[in-house]
């Protein structure tokens, strides 16, 4: 579960990024986070992943209290979260299989676990026949599928997708969202940060809208801030 209670975040320069945000995302939910540039969306992601701490208020993520988490606990928090980025962040000189296996090696997985888990995840994202390819030999949609596989491979309870379709055409964007929906159907919590109005309206999910550091709307009515265009 992700829970923000009266969260404020002020940066050292004095910029107020969040000004009393309260929200709760239950285990197994699929939720969109939308809002204009500079509204506080990136700060929310950084608070969830432990990159930042709140100035005041409380942040609870998957059993951890982020306002008082110890430095040595942060890696354990992050194992419960898979993050998918707009720019993929793949390792160019590693194959599809190696990119995903590497994510398991860095958390100390045993070779037997890697051998069992990686093929399963590649099949889940539809890349089982591309395991020996390198990222540069793949389309943008395939690279994003690989990024999702890497985020999934350590079996996190939560996936955060930060503008996952920003570099893709509409058809590929829909495929990626359908894949995230499938992952959610398997029980994983999914939070998608996006500017894609059509996707938000097509997938009728809960939408949390942020503006000027505040939650301005939260529901399933298909709300989308026109200022985010």
């Amino acid at each position: 579960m992700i829970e923000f209670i009266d969260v404020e975040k002020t940066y050292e320069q004095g910029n107020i990024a969040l000004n009393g945000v309260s929200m709760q995302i239950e285990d197994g939910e699929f939720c969109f986070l939308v809002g204009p540039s500079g509204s506080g969306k990136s700060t929310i992601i950084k608070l969830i992943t432990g990159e930042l701490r709140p100035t005041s208020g409380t942040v609870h993520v998957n059993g951890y209290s982020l306002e008082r988490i110890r430095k040595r606990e942060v890696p354990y928090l992050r194992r419960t979260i898979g993050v998918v980025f707009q720019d993929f962040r793949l390792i160019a000189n590693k194959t599809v299989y190696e990119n995903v296996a590497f994510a398991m090696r860095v958390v100390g997985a045993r070779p037997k676990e890697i051998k069992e888990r990686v093929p399963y995840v590649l099949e889940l994202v539809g890349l089982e026949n591309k395991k020996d390819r390198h990222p540069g030999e793949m389309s943008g949609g395939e690279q994003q599928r690989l990024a999702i596989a890497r985020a999934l491979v350590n079996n996190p309870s939560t996936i955060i997708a930060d503008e996952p379709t920003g570099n893709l055409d509409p058809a590929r964007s829909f495929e990626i969202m359908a894949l995230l929906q499938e992952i959610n159907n398997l029980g994983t919590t999914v939070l998608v940060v996006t500017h894609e109005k059509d996707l938000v309206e097509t997938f009728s999910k809960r939408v949390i809208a942020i503006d000027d550091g505040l939650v301005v709307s939260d529901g399933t009515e298909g709300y989308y801030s026109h200022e985010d265009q």
Side-chain angles (χ1 to χ4, degrees):
M1 185 180 73
I2 298 169
E3 184 179 41
F4 280 52
I5 302 173
D6 295 327
V7 173
E8 297 185 5
K9 179 60 184 177
T10 302
Y11 289 102
E12 289 181 2
Q13 314 92 297
N15 298 335
I16 300 173
L18 299 180
N19 193 18
V21 168
S22 294
M23 64 179 188
Q24 185 168 303
I25 300 171
E26 298 290 345
D27 292 341
E29 269 201 270
F30 188 120
C31 185
F32 288 108
L33 180 65
V34 304
S37 296
S39 60
K41 302 189 302 296
S42 294
T43 298
I44 286 173
I45 293 174
K46 289 175 180 177
L47 286 168
I48 292 172
T49 59
E51 187 176 338
L52 295 175
R53 294 196 182 199
T55 304
S56 65
T58 58
V59 179
H60 300 293
V61 178
N62 298 338
Y64 292 89
S65 296
L66 277 295
E67 69 277 6
R68 58 176 182 270
I69 192 169
R70 295 174 180 171
K71 194 171 182 179
R72 61 182 169 83
E73 291 180 311
V74 172
Y76 296 98
L77 161 73
R78 289 177 179 166
R79 288 183 197 181
T80 73
I81 303 168
V83 183
V84 181
F85 301 97
Q86 179 178 350
D87 57 359
F88 313 141
R89 302 193 187 180
L90 303 170
I91 304 170
N93 64 352
K94 290 186 182 294
T95 65
V96 165
Y97 185 98
E98 290 167 344
N99 262 274
V100 180
F102 180 75
M104 293 190 72
R105 286 196 187 95
V106 298
V107 299
R110 297 190 300 273
K112 183 175 183 290
E113 293 175 309
I114 294 171
K115 190 175 180 180
E116 291 174 353
R117 178 73 178 169
V118 174
Y120 166 76
V121 173
L122 290 179
E123 184 176 357
L124 181 64
V125 302
L127 291 178
E128 64 271 25
N129 296 323
K130 303 284 178 77
K131 65 184 179 65
D132 296 321
R133 297 275 183 92
H134 287 81
E137 301 173 303
M138 303 166 72
S139 69
E142 289 171 335
Q143 289 184 58
Q144 190 59 291
R145 285 174 176 270
L146 175 54
I148 291 171
R150 187 183 56 190
L152 272 176
V153 75
N154 289 315
N155 201 26
S157 59
T158 305
I159 290 285
I160 298 175
D162 188 6
E163 300 287 356
T165 61
N167 292 325
L168 306 178
D169 63 54
R172 300 291 83 75
S173 295
F174 186 88
E175 287 179 7
I176 292 300
M177 289 306 307
L179 174 58
L180 290 170
Q181 169 70 78
E182 184 178 343
I183 290 163
N184 175 247
N185 290 343
L186 295 173
T188 305
T189 307
V190 175
L191 176 63
V192 178
V193 182
T194 185
H195 283 77
E196 302 285 344
K197 180 175 187 253
D198 291 342
L199 286 179
V200 173
E201 293 180 344
T202 299
F203 291 83
S204 299
K205 301 293 183 182
R206 178 183 173 193
V207 181
I208 299 173
I210 305 288
D211 197 358
D212 200 23
L214 289 166
V215 175
V216 294
S217 177
D218 183 352
T220 55
E221 293 79 22
Y223 175 92
Y224 189 88
S225 172
H226 63 84
E227 298 174 24
D228 210 18
Q229 294 295 303

